[in-house]
Amino acid sequence: MRFFSTLFFFAFTISFYAQNNNKQVLFTVDEDPVYASEFIRVFNKNLDLVKDESQKDVDAYLKLFVSYKLKLKEAKTLGFDTMPKYKRELSNYKSQLAKNYLTDNKVTDALVNEAYERTTNEVNASHILIRIDENASPKDTLVAYNDLLKLRGRVIDEGYKAVQKEVHNGKTIYAEDLGYFSGFKMVYPFENAAYNTSIGEVSLPFRTQFGYHIVKVFDKRKSRGQREVAHIMINLDKEDAESRIQDIYKKLEQGEDFESLAKQFSEDKSTSTKGGKLSPFSSGELRSQEFEDQAFSIEEEGVYTKPFKSNFGWHIMKLIKKIETPPFQDMKSTLEAKVKRDSRSKLISTSRINKLKERYAISNVDKDLAYFTSILNNEFYKSKWKTPESFQHEKAFVTIEKKQFTYKDFADFLIKSQRRNKKQLPLNKIVENTYNAFLEEKMLAYQEENLEFENEDFANILGEYRDGLLLFDLMENEIWKAAANDSVAVQEFFNANKTNYFFNERVDAVVASSAKKKDINKVAKLLKNGITIEEIKSIVNTEDQVHVIFTSGLMDAKHQALPKGFSFKKGVSKVFTHNDSFVVVKVNEILPKTQKTFEEAKGKVSSDFQDAKEKKWLVDLENKYKVTIHQDVLTTVKSKLNKD
C-alpha cells in the first residue's frame, strides 16, 4: 500500500517554479494560490497514466488535486518541510538530478558512442589485483606497481593459470576469472584496460579504487543480444518437484502444447497465465546464472530444454525469439543515462569545469595563495593545523560572479582537507591543489544553486520530488504508521467490519488434466468407481509415458486448475475443456463461505483501516483550510483541456 501510494505522489506532484507573467489562479488554499498552468500540466502529464476513467474527468481530477494541495498545506503547517531528514533527502536528490543537466554534451556524446561499442561487444578476461588503499603512500604504491610488473612478466612466460593458482589468496592478491562481460559491468578504468588490450595480451598495470591490476584478455566477441523465452517452473519446496517436472517433460515429449502445460502447471504465477512467457533479457540481467546459460544455449526458436534446476526451482525452458542488439539510436537515451551515473562521468565533469572557468567572472587570488602558504606549517600533515590568531576571517578571498567567499571559507576548506592530504607534498603545492578543488566545488555549487531559475524542466522535476517527498513524510506520520502503532484501533475496525473479510466458497478437490479426451474419460470412470489417485496414476501413466497430471488441494473458483465457471458440487464432474486440455474434477468436500479471523485478514484490514482514516482526515483538512475555486478560471481551463 505504502509503495503504490508513493508512486502516485511522485507521478501526481508537479509545480512550476520558473517565472510566468500570465499566471491565473485556479483556486486558493487559505489564500495560498494554485495556478491554472500547474493544474493543466499535471492533468495532461497524468492523462495516459491513470486507469480510473473518473480521473480523466476534469472535475473529478480537480477534486483529487485539491485534496493533494490540502495535504501539502497541512505538511507545511506541521513543519515537515523544516525537518533535517527532509532537507537532507531533498538536497541529495537535487544534487543527483542536477547531474543530468550539468554536462558537457560533446564529451557525453563521445562517451555514449564508446559505451554503445562496448555494450555490443563482450570481452572474456581474467585479472590479477594487488589491493592497496586509495590513500597509500607513494612508496607503497610504487611497491605494488613493481610487484605487478613482475607478475605480468610471469603471466606472459608461464601462463595465467599457473600464476593464478600460486598467488591468489583472496585478501591482498586476487587472481580471478571474470568470464565474458560488456560495457558498464566493471569500473571504468578496468573496462578501458580490458577493451584496449588485444586478445592474448596482458595489459600494463593500471589503477582503480581497489588497487593495481593487470588484465589478461582471452577473447572478444559480439554481444549475444537478448532472449525471449517461456518456462514451466515447479517450486523447490515441493517434495515431488523433480518428479513433477519430469512428468511435465514427458507430456511435452508426447507432443503436448508447451503454453497449455505452462498455464496448467507452472508455479511461476507471474508468467503461468501467459503460457510461461518472460520479458526479453540480456546477459547479466537475471539473478540465476543457470537459467541465463540455458536460455543462451538454445540454438533454434521453438526448441525447449530438458528439465534443469536453478536457485528458484525446476524448469523447462522454450526459446521463443532471439533478439539482436538494437541499433544505436534506439539505445542512445538509455546509454546516456548510464554514462552520467557511471564513474566515466568524471570526464564530463572536468570538461564542464573548464567551461565554467571561461563563463564565470572569477576574481584573481594569486597573491592570497602565497599568504595561505605562509601560514601553513607542519601541523597540517598531522591534521592539527588551525588558523593563527591574527587571521582575518571576513576578508574577501574570491568572487564567483556575484557570490563572495571569504578567507574563512577557504581556511575551513583547508582544515577539512587535512585528512585527505596524507602525501607529504610541499606546502605551496598543497595550497595550490586545495584552491583548485575549492574553486571547482564552489563553481559547480554556484551553477547548481542557480539551475532551478535557469532551467524550467529541471525546476519542474525538482518540484515533483520536493512535494512528493513532503507528502510521503506526512502520510507516513499521519496515516501509515497508525495501523502499525494502534493495534487496538485496527482490531476495533475489524470487529466493526467483520462481514467484509471472509473466505469464498472452496472445494477440497482433485483435478485430472490431459491433452487426450479418452484418457480423461478413463480417469473419470475410475474416480467414479472409487479408485485412489495413486492407483489411477499407475493405470494411466507409465515410467516413460505421462498421460495425465493430477492437482489436488483446497481451491476457490479462481484456482488455476479449475475450469472457468466450474459449479461446486460433490462428486465427479463431467469432462471440461480448459487451457487447451481436458479436465475432470472430483470434489471431495465443499467448504462454505466462512468468516476470516483477524490474523487471517490482518493485511487487508490494515489497508482498509488506513483508507478509512485518510478519508476522515481529508474531511478534517477541508474544514481546517478554506478552499476557494475561481469558477471563471476553471471554465477557461476546461475549454483549453477539451481543445487539447
Side-chain angles (χ1 to χ4, degrees):
M1 174 70 180
R2 182 179 305 181
F3 175 73
F4 290 107
S5 298
T6 306
L7 287 183
F8 175 75
F9 292 150
F10 285 112
F12 190 73
T13 57
I14 183 170
S15 300
F16 182 52
Y17 295 91
Q19 293 182 356
N20 186 338
N21 295 323
N22 298 310
K23 287 184 176 180
Q24 289 182 300
V25 177
L26 178 59
F27 63 91
T28 57
V29 180
D30 260 15
E31 306 305 321
D32 291 344
V34 178
Y35 298 104
S37 58
E38 181 183 353
F39 177 76
I40 291 170
R41 236 180 351 268
V42 172
F43 185 87
N44 286 330
K45 179 180 179 181
N46 293 289
L47 192 61
D48 295 330
L49 299 178
V50 296
K51 296 180 180 179
D52 186 346
E53 288 298 320
S54 67
Q55 293 183 21
K56 296 181 180 181
D57 175 76
V58 176
D59 289 319
Y61 204 82
L62 178 60
K63 185 177 180 181
L64 288 173
F65 195 65
V66 169
S67 295
Y68 154 69
K69 287 294 185 179
L70 282 168
K71 292 174 184 176
L72 278 180
K73 179 69 175 178
E74 178 72 353
K76 292 173 182 177
T77 299
L78 295 175
F80 280 93
D81 56 335
T82 65
M83 298 294 182
K85 179 175 177 289
Y86 168 81
K87 288 184 174 182
R88 184 170 59 252
E89 290 188 22
L90 180 61
S91 177
N92 290 341
Y93 177 79
K94 183 179 179 181
S95 296
Q96 289 298 317
L97 178 64
K99 292 177 182 178
N100 298 321
Y101 293 85
L102 306 173
T103 58
D104 185 305
N105 290 333
K106 286 187 178 180
V107 177
T108 302
D109 289 345
L111 289 171
V112 169
N113 282 305
E114 178 188 77
Y116 179 74
E117 178 66 23
R118 293 179 179 180
T119 301
T120 54
N121 291 277
E122 298 175 340
V123 177
N124 182 8
S126 298
H127 80 129
I128 297 176
L129 161 68
I130 296 180
R131 292 293 302 268
I132 58 170
D133 188 81
E134 285 189 87
N135 296 315
S137 68
K139 179 181 177 181
D140 291 340
T141 300
L142 183 61
V143 169
Y145 183 89
N146 287 332
D147 286 347
L148 207 50
L149 271 180
K150 293 176 184 177
L151 289 176
R152 178 178 183 267
R154 289 188 57 193
V155 169
I156 293 171
D157 294 338
E158 303 171 30
Y160 176 79
K161 287 295 181 184
V163 179
Q164 178 189 36
K165 186 176 181 181
E166 180 182 330
V167 304
H168 176 80
N169 60 32
K171 295 179 181 178
T172 57
I173 301 179
Y174 293 79
E176 301 168 308
D177 299 316
L178 303 172
Y180 282 96
F181 58 88
S182 59
F184 298 104
K185 303 298 183 184
M186 304 292 174
V187 293
Y188 188 56
F190 193 99
E191 178 189 305
N192 269 338
Y195 277 91
N196 291 328
T197 300
S198 300
I199 295 174
E201 299 294 324
V202 183
S203 74
L204 287 168
F206 60 93
R207 182 85 181 259
T208 72
Q209 65 261 45
F210 306 109
Y212 271 107
H213 309 250
I214 55 172
V215 60
K216 165 82 174 182
V217 174
F218 295 98
D219 189 27
K220 295 181 180 181
R221 70 183 184 192
K222 284 291 182 183
S223 169
R224 298 188 294 179
Q226 291 185 307
R227 293 293 182 269
E228 184 178 356
V229 304
H231 78 132
I232 300 169
M233 185 184 86
I234 303 299
N235 292 326
L236 287 175
D237 57 7
K238 285 191 174 294
E239 291 184 5
D240 62 343
E242 185 174 2
S243 63
R244 189 169 178 83
I245 201 73
Q246 292 292 348
D247 285 348
I248 295 170
Y249 180 74
K250 288 174 183 176
K251 290 176 78 65
L252 277 171
E253 291 287 272
Q254 292 160 205
E256 296 196 24
D257 182 65
F258 189 100
E259 183 177 349
S260 174
L261 291 170
K263 288 178 180 178
Q264 294 176 72
F265 305 115
S266 179
E267 294 177 353
D268 178 0
K269 300 303 181 184
S270 63
T271 65
S272 61
T273 57
K274 298 178 286 188
K277 187 182 290 187
L278 288 157
S279 298
F281 56 86
S282 57
S283 293
E285 286 189 17
L286 301 182
R287 291 182 293 164
S288 171
Q289 188 62 47
E290 177 64 26
F291 195 94
E292 182 180 300
D293 289 344
Q294 290 284 342
F296 283 97
S297 68
I298 308 174
E299 293 295 332
E300 296 181 19
E301 294 177 0
V303 172
Y304 56 82
T305 66
K306 291 181 178 180
F308 66 93
K309 187 179 180 181
S310 78
N311 49 324
F312 293 101
W314 281 93
H315 311 260
I316 303 170
M317 182 193 299
K318 176 182 176 182
L319 178 61
I320 298 172
K321 187 178 181 182
K322 291 183 177 181
I323 303 172
E324 298 302 322
T325 303
F328 174 73
Q329 287 302 325
D330 293 351
M331 292 185 67
K332 185 177 179 182
S333 60
T334 300
L335 290 173
E336 187 172 335
K338 284 186 175 182
V339 162
K340 290 177 180 178
R341 292 194 302 266
D342 190 65
S343 60
R344 66 196 78 197
S345 63
K346 291 180 181 178
L347 299 176
I348 303 171
S349 298
T350 301
S351 176
R352 173 186 161 203
I353 287 165
N354 290 335
K355 289 187 175 181
L356 290 181
K357 287 180 178 178
E358 296 175 2
R359 183 197 307 176
Y360 291 148
I362 302 171
S363 65
N364 191 329
V365 296
D366 289 346
K367 59 181 182 298
D368 296 327
L369 293 187
Y371 165 73
F372 275 97
T373 299
S374 72
I375 64 173
L376 282 190
N377 53 47
N378 288 335
E379 292 296 293
F380 189 88
Y381 299 118
K382 304 173 186 177
S383 298
K384 295 180 179 180
W385 178 78
K386 296 179 181 179
T387 55
E389 291 184 8
S390 60
F391 187 74
Q392 300 178 50
H393 292 271
E394 300 306 318
K395 185 177 179 180
F397 176 64
V398 63
T399 302
I400 300 174
E401 292 292 306
K402 296 180 181 180
K403 191 173 182 68
Q404 177 72 62
F405 297 96
T406 65
Y407 271 37
K408 182 181 184 302
D409 293 324
F410 184 57
D412 289 344
F413 196 84
L414 266 172
I415 290 170
K416 288 180 181 178
S417 72
Q418 290 180 109
R419 295 187 298 273
R420 300 191 295 269
N421 279 276
K422 301 299 183 184
K423 300 177 182 179
Q424 297 287 315
L425 295 174
L427 293 175
N428 66 324
K429 192 64 177 177
I430 288 174
V431 172
E432 181 184 340
N433 291 345
T434 306
Y435 171 69
N436 289 333
F438 174 81
L439 186 60
E440 289 177 5
E441 179 181 292
K442 299 308 178 185
M443 282 193 303
L444 294 175
Y446 181 85
Q447 186 187 24
E448 188 174 325
E449 287 168 8
N450 289 277
L451 186 62
E452 190 173 352
F453 307 103
E454 299 171 359
N455 189 300
E456 182 178 319
D457 184 48
F458 174 80
N460 287 336
I461 296 174
L462 182 62
E464 292 180 27
Y465 191 86
R466 177 185 283 121
D467 290 348
L469 185 62
L470 189 61
L471 211 52
F472 179 92
D473 289 345
L474 176 72
M475 293 295 291
E476 183 175 48
N477 186 75
E478 297 293 321
I479 303 299
W480 298 329
K481 284 184 178 178
N485 297 337
D486 196 348
S487 57
V488 174
V490 177
Q491 179 71 61
E492 289 175 351
F493 181 84
F494 171 73
N495 294 337
N497 298 276
K498 273 188 176 181
T499 55
N500 294 332
Y501 308 103
F502 54 84
F503 287 111
N504 286 316
E505 186 180 34
R506 294 170 294 167
V507 290
D508 178 4
V510 177
V511 182
S513 174
S514 177
K516 296 180 181 179
K517 190 172 183 179
K518 67 180 183 64
D519 290 331
I520 286 300
N521 285 334
K522 184 175 183 179
V523 171
K525 185 175 180 180
L526 292 170
L527 286 170
K528 289 176 182 177
N529 290 334
I531 307 300
T532 66
I533 299 301
E534 290 305 314
E535 289 177 304
I536 295 174
K537 283 183 180 180
S538 66
I539 295 170
V540 298
N541 296 332
T542 64
E543 285 188 11
D544 299 322
Q545 298 286 317
V546 177
H547 298 289
V548 183
I549 287 182
F550 296 85
T551 303
S552 59
L554 294 178
M555 308 175 190
D556 62 17
K558 296 180 180 180
H559 194 280
Q560 176 185 16
L562 292 177
K564 290 182 180 178
F566 178 71
S567 179
F568 288 1
K569 184 178 179 182
K570 203 169 181 179
V572 180
S573 73
K574 67 177 184 178
V575 173
F576 292 89
T577 301
H578 179 53
N579 285 334
D580 304 322
S581 276
F582 299 97
V583 300
V584 65
V585 183
K586 182 186 178 184
V587 176
N588 299 315
E589 185 181 357
I590 300 174
L591 284 71
K593 178 179 176 180
T594 55
Q595 174 71 54
K596 286 185 178 181
T597 66
F598 174 71
E599 287 300 321
E600 290 169 332
K602 192 172 183 179
K604 184 67 166 62
V605 173
S606 295
S607 177
D608 291 347
F609 174 78
Q610 290 174 359
D611 290 342
K613 187 175 180 64
E614 184 177 355
K615 287 177 182 177
K616 181 180 181 303
W617 178 55
L618 273 173
V619 172
D620 294 339
L621 293 182
E622 289 169 359
N623 293 327
K624 182 176 182 179
Y625 302 111
K626 182 181 179 181
V627 175
T628 303
I629 296 175
H630 298 172
Q631 292 298 329
D632 56 333
V633 179
L634 178 58
T635 301
T636 303
V637 168
K638 288 181 177 179
S639 175
K640 177 174 175 55
L641 290 174
N642 288 333
K643 285 181 182 178
D644 294 343

